[in-house]
Amino acid sequence: MRRNIHHGVSDGVTYQDTNGIPHAVEGEMTPVVRVIGWLITGMLLVAVLAGLWRGMNSHQGFIVDVVNGLKASEVGFAIVLILLGSIVEGFGYGLSLGTRWPYTRNIAVLMVRGDPEAAHRLVATLVGLVALALVILSPSITTISGLSLIVVTALFGMGTLYVLAGRAPAFVHGTHGLLAYGVFLVYLTGLVYPGLDFWSYLSAVGALHALLLAVFLGGMTTGQRGFGTAIGPFVKPQKASQWTIAAHVSAALLLVATLGWMMPAYPVAFYLAVTQVAVGFLLFHAVNLKPRDPGVMVVFHQSMVLLMSLAIVLQWR
């Protein structure tokens, strides 16, 4: 048995069972969500075109050309997937499909109507299919690692739904975000540095260690506060969500210090990290003002992390 709980126009509709456990929480389809959705669609098309361009200009034989094209597109798809996750969080769509996973019968219709969570799951499927094709066409440590990470990320993605519903620990949410960046980095480094062992590369690049720690604790922060719950202003942390965000801020400052110590190796990433600290404080206030849908600041915050990741990988020598 279900009952509808109406929270108001800005809060959408929550569907709960008789025990008060949320099955689905509909986000609000605002003009901002629609604009961002169109931008994401444009990014998907750019990723496809980038893959076609890379493949047609590779000139290393048909199979190798196809593989190079798929790698280029996969990097773009991974970026889109992470940004879709930030839209889901920022605009209150985390439980728009409830805890049903991975699909619902009308998921394609919901995506066309603009549901970011439906789009997130279908793009995740696309990322997985491209990864499978890469393993078949070019089995290597990079392609096999990428597909393996995608499978584990998807399983933790299911777990994030239960985190938001209050039935799983925040660690699951943090791990999901960490793995999503792992997928992105595997294909990015494979594209930029062909033949490089990703795991050896990752172990050698300290800047990425600091960045991924901040990513993990950022996901933990979202998971710890749950769905639609404010963290609350504080000087000394008093509850778990406040202790988690204090750890996340410490990790962000550690990232700034690490990149500063490594200067001038990663100048772009350093200045982005300094700016990100200010963006993070703005996001903290947005979460407390509108805990269920803090808005575009979440997307901007995630975009900055993606840019830092790109800057570190592209400037590595």
Side-chain angles (χ1 to χ4, degrees):
M1 178 178 179
R2 298 195 310 179
R3 58 194 177 92
N4 295 359
I5 309 295
H6 292 265
H7 292 288
V9 175
S10 64
D11 287 338
V13 180
T14 301
Y15 300 99
Q16 296 179 342
D17 61 21
T18 53
N19 295 318
I21 300 297
H23 284 303
V25 184
E26 298 176 2
E28 183 186 8
M29 184 53 60
T30 66
V32 174
V33 176
R34 293 187 186 278
V35 169
I36 295 176
W38 282 111
L39 291 173
I40 292 293
T41 302
M43 291 180 65
L44 279 174
L45 292 175
V46 169
V48 171
L49 292 174
L52 290 172
W53 181 85
R54 177 66 184 264
M56 289 187 295
N57 288 276
S58 181
H59 305 304
Q60 300 179 51
F62 178 74
I63 296 298
V64 176
D65 292 349
V66 171
V67 168
N68 288 335
L70 287 175
K71 284 182 179 178
S73 290
E74 188 75 323
V75 171
F77 295 155
I79 291 173
V80 167
L81 188 60
I82 291 172
L83 288 177
L84 278 170
S86 69
I87 296 170
V88 168
E89 178 188 343
F91 293 94
Y93 281 87
L95 289 172
S96 67
L97 303 183
T99 53
R100 292 167 294 180
W101 183 91
Y103 309 115
T104 63
R105 287 178 298 175
N106 61 338
I107 192 168
V109 174
L110 292 172
M111 183 188 73
V112 172
R113 290 177 179 173
D115 188 317
E117 174 65 1
H120 182 68
R121 297 192 194 184
L122 290 177
V123 172
T125 302
L126 175 61
V127 169
L129 291 174
V130 172
L132 179 61
L134 284 168
V135 169
I136 293 171
L137 293 171
S138 178
S140 67
I141 188 170
T142 295
T143 57
I144 294 172
S145 295
L147 180 59
S148 301
L149 282 171
I150 288 167
V151 172
V152 180
T153 303
L155 293 174
F156 272 89
M158 174 181 64
T160 62
L161 302 175
Y162 291 94
V163 174
L164 295 177
R167 300 186 226 170
F171 171 83
V172 174
H173 205 291
T175 303
H176 176 67
L178 182 64
L179 290 168
Y181 270 88
V183 171
F184 166 58
L185 289 169
V186 162
Y187 291 108
L188 177 62
T189 54
L191 181 67
V192 178
Y193 308 110
L196 180 68
D197 179 355
F198 170 73
W199 299 107
S200 297
Y201 168 78
L202 181 62
S203 65
V205 183
L208 284 178
H209 302 168
L211 177 66
L212 292 174
L213 175 62
V215 167
F216 171 72
L217 289 171
M220 279 278 292
T221 299
T222 300
Q224 193 68 64
R225 73 182 184 87
F227 186 80
T229 304
I231 296 170
F234 66 93
V235 175
K236 179 181 178 181
Q238 300 294 327
K239 55 185 180 178
S241 60
Q242 293 177 348
W243 281 108
T244 305
I245 198 167
H248 179 51
V249 171
S250 298
L253 295 175
L254 175 63
L255 174 60
V256 172
T258 300
L259 292 170
W261 180 70
M262 291 180 172
M263 284 289 277
Y266 305 108
V268 175
F270 172 72
Y271 292 116
L272 286 171
V274 171
T275 305
Q276 180 76 316
V277 173
V279 173
F281 279 107
L282 292 175
L283 176 58
F284 174 75
H285 288 295
V287 166
N288 285 327
L289 287 172
K290 297 184 67 179
R292 221 194 78 172
D293 52 346
V296 73
M297 287 303 301
V298 178
V299 184
F300 186 61
H301 190 67
Q302 199 69 259
S303 300
M304 294 283 285
V305 181
L306 283 167
L307 289 173
M308 277 186 278
S309 303
L310 282 166
I312 290 171
V313 172
L314 295 178
Q315 292 188 313
W316 177 72
R317 292 293 183 271

